[in-house]
Amino acid sequence: MIIDSEKASPLGHEFHDPRVVRVGMLGFGTVGTGAFRMLADNREAIVRKVGVPIEVTRIGVRDLVKPRIADRNLITADLHSIVDDPQIDVILELMGGVEPAGELIERALLNGKHVVTANKELLAKKGTHLVRLAAKQGLDLHYEAAVGGGIPLIQPLKHQLAGNDVLKMMGILNGTTNYILTKMTEEGLDFDAVLKEAQEKGYAEADPTSDVDGFDAQYKLAILSSIAFGKEVLPDSVHREGIRGISATEFAYADMLGYKIKLLGIVEACGPNRILARVHPTLIPKAHPLGRVDGVYNALWLEGDFVGDIMFSGQGAGSEATGSAVIGDLIDICRNIRLGGAGNMIPFEYGMETLPIEQVRSRYYLRIQVKDRPKALGCIATVFGNCDVSLAGMEMKTLPEGRGEIVFLTHPCIEGQFLRALKAMRNIHIVDRINSWMRVEGTA
């Protein structure tokens, strides 16, 4: 089948013989290597599914000395020469970071090239601009690998679930933190010890900030929220907390109460064009589908008005899993090229209102240390009642030297009310210390 070049590209780009789709890669690290291997190992199956061969013709890297599995003749440090090459149809951007990746993708789109990216930070911060540019150019910009790695999340949200109003999404969006929290739960180890082990096994970076402080999950939730609700959600509008401050004591109490502690990304509809999006450690019932997702696995639980509750789960990172998502997007684009155009763009609109975390309605876990005095519980219960916070459960433990430890679970309330109760509690003489508190989803 011969493609009319004017139909295939609004820029009059001169496409080569459509019996071959030529690909340029930007970046050849873990994900790039996995994608390249999949194209080579599954070449015949991919040709059958696409209808034409896919040929990687150029690979852009920063370090020309580092050993690669690809032919050295394909490799260059001149990244701009790849996005400017008129013979290349599709760019795979797998280098990460906001720049120069953003400028290179924009240049590729302006040059009439389709793009696949796994760059969650770039998409979260500048995705709306790039998606709009791709749509204007009549080109595809795919990014399945940016959020769930090998888990298909983007395409189902854009297509199979598009008829639903999304009521709520909750996800374990970062495998590193899920591994750390799982090990802390199962072995009673502290954070620093598990983090060190995760780094030694390659699950955590030397600088783990993006993972353990919640930035990675924040970027991913911003992307998912934009797709689910059809309007731009920027990462700065997603409330973010990390997992560094969680002690082994919290895991022991959570287990006793029937919960697990997970770093969850949560977004829920709060009215027309209004959402509340947040990333933070959360107590989730052991029986909840997300409560059974452990180790480096990721998952997304979604509630739609017609489909009800559904969940996606699998490996969210790694060379093969993420490379698989990249090649899936590439195959989709190649099919569109054979048909003469793009097919999956959803330009996000502006105008989404994101509410502050103080307006979330949630249940809460609270652990405090108190003086062992008469009427101590009555004083604390009065503070909660004055702030319109109702108690659902309580556990007590006697400590040495006339001290006690109390753990409370509340009924659902507005966070602002709960924080007001904490502030008032700090002024009660019988309360020695507020040790910790966390939000709770569901009922154990």
Side-chain angles (χ1 to χ4, degrees):
M1 176 177 125
I2 304 297
I3 299 175
D4 186 300
S5 63
E6 292 185 359
K7 179 181 179 183
S9 172
L11 302 176
H13 177 69
E14 293 184 5
F15 280 86
H16 61 272
D17 187 336
R19 286 174 292 182
V20 176
V21 175
R22 291 185 170 87
V23 174
M25 298 179 66
L26 304 177
F28 204 65
T30 300
V31 177
T33 301
F36 186 85
R37 284 184 51 231
M38 189 173 191
L39 283 174
D41 294 351
N42 295 352
R43 179 178 178 82
E44 293 183 4
I46 290 172
V47 170
R48 288 196 302 269
K49 293 173 182 177
V50 175
V52 295
I54 299 173
E55 179 183 346
V56 176
T57 60
R58 304 285 298 283
I59 299 173
V61 300
R62 294 187 179 96
D63 182 359
L64 291 173
V65 178
K66 183 178 179 180
R68 313 281 180 179
I69 64 171
D71 188 328
R72 303 295 301 182
N73 293 326
L74 300 179
I75 296 174
T76 178
D78 185 356
L79 304 185
H80 287 91
S81 71
I82 297 177
V83 297
D84 290 339
D85 187 338
Q87 295 301 310
I88 289 177
D89 304 294
V90 185
I91 296 294
L92 306 186
E93 186 279 300
L94 308 173
M95 55 195 299
V98 176
E99 296 299 345
E103 184 265 332
L104 288 166
I105 289 178
E106 185 166 348
R107 189 159 167 172
L109 293 170
L110 291 172
N111 284 335
K113 303 182 190 308
H114 304 276
V115 175
V116 176
T117 178
N119 195 330
K120 53 186 170 288
E121 182 179 6
L122 173 64
L123 287 167
K125 293 179 177 178
K126 296 187 176 182
T128 298
H129 167 69
L130 294 174
V131 166
R132 284 172 171 263
L133 176 60
K136 181 180 178 181
Q137 298 294 101
L139 298 165
D140 276 324
L141 171 61
H142 284 4
Y143 45 91
E144 185 69 62
V147 176
I151 312 169
L153 299 178
I154 305 298
Q155 292 289 359
L157 280 175
K158 290 199 299 185
H159 299 292
Q160 290 81 7
L161 299 174
N164 285 261
D165 281 339
V166 175
L167 305 178
K168 187 172 185 176
M169 290 192 298
M170 298 195 297
I172 297 170
L173 303 177
N174 182 271
T176 298
T177 53
N178 201 41
Y179 173 84
I180 292 172
L181 294 174
T182 299
K183 293 286 284 188
M184 292 178 74
T185 298
E186 294 176 349
E187 300 181 18
L189 300 174
D190 63 27
F191 172 81
D192 290 335
V194 179
L195 173 60
K196 182 179 179 181
E197 180 184 324
Q199 289 170 323
E200 291 172 349
K201 291 186 175 182
Y203 295 144
E205 301 289 341
D207 179 1
T209 301
S210 181
D211 295 322
V212 302
D213 290 333
F215 289 100
D216 180 81
Q218 182 188 47
Y219 299 148
K220 293 174 180 176
L221 188 64
I223 295 168
L224 289 171
S225 300
S226 297
I227 298 168
F229 297 99
K231 292 199 172 184
E232 181 184 47
V233 178
L234 293 172
D236 286 347
S237 65
V238 177
H239 177 82
R240 174 188 55 81
E241 300 170 25
I243 66 168
R244 291 183 192 266
I246 307 175
S247 72
T249 303
E250 265 55 73
F251 290 91
Y253 274 116
D255 180 66
M256 181 176 63
L257 294 167
Y259 292 89
K260 286 188 175 180
I261 299 174
K262 300 291 184 182
L263 182 73
L264 296 185
I266 305 171
V267 60
E268 50 201 316
C270 301
N273 300 320
R274 177 183 291 183
I275 63 169
L276 204 158
R278 48 201 166 102
V279 170
H280 51 70
T282 309
L283 269 69
I284 189 87
K286 295 177 183 179
H288 191 282
L290 289 174
R292 298 194 290 267
V293 178
D294 292 325
V296 295
Y297 276 68
N298 288 11
L300 180 72
W301 175 91
L302 179 147
E303 181 185 0
D305 60 344
F306 274 74
V307 76
D309 300 350
I310 59 174
M311 196 173 89
F312 305 85
S313 179
Q315 294 188 51
S319 174
E320 295 182 352
T322 309
S324 172
V326 169
I327 299 308
D329 278 347
L330 175 59
I331 289 172
D332 199 15
I333 287 175
C334 290
R335 288 169 173 160
N336 291 338
I337 289 174
R338 291 196 67 220
L339 295 173
N344 289 313
M345 298 310 301
I346 302 179
F348 302 135
E349 299 177 6
Y350 299 103
M352 177 63 76
E353 180 184 356
T354 53
L355 300 181
I357 189 67
E358 290 77 15
Q359 294 189 32
V360 73
R361 182 174 178 81
S362 176
R363 301 176 70 228
Y364 294 90
Y365 161 97
L366 171 66
R367 179 168 67 90
I368 64 175
Q369 184 173 306
V370 300
K371 295 180 177 67
D372 189 4
R373 299 287 188 274
K375 301 183 180 179
L377 277 177
C379 291
I380 295 169
T382 299
V383 169
F384 277 123
N386 289 340
C387 296
D388 295 321
V389 177
S390 175
L391 297 177
M394 180 187 71
E395 295 288 341
M396 297 182 63
K397 184 170 70 173
T398 301
L399 301 176
E401 300 178 356
R403 298 287 189 271
E405 186 171 72
I406 310 177
V407 168
F408 296 100
L409 288 177
T410 77
H411 286 295
C413 64
I414 302 301
E415 183 149 317
Q417 297 170 339
F418 178 77
L419 294 177
R420 189 155 54 92
L422 293 189
K423 182 178 180 180
M425 212 172 296
R426 290 187 175 96
N427 296 322
I428 302 177
H429 71 282
I430 60 171
V431 176
D432 281 341
R433 183 167 63 247
I434 295 176
N435 292 310
S436 66
W437 65 273
M438 280 184 280
R439 300 168 190 91
V440 181
E441 288 290 333
T443 304

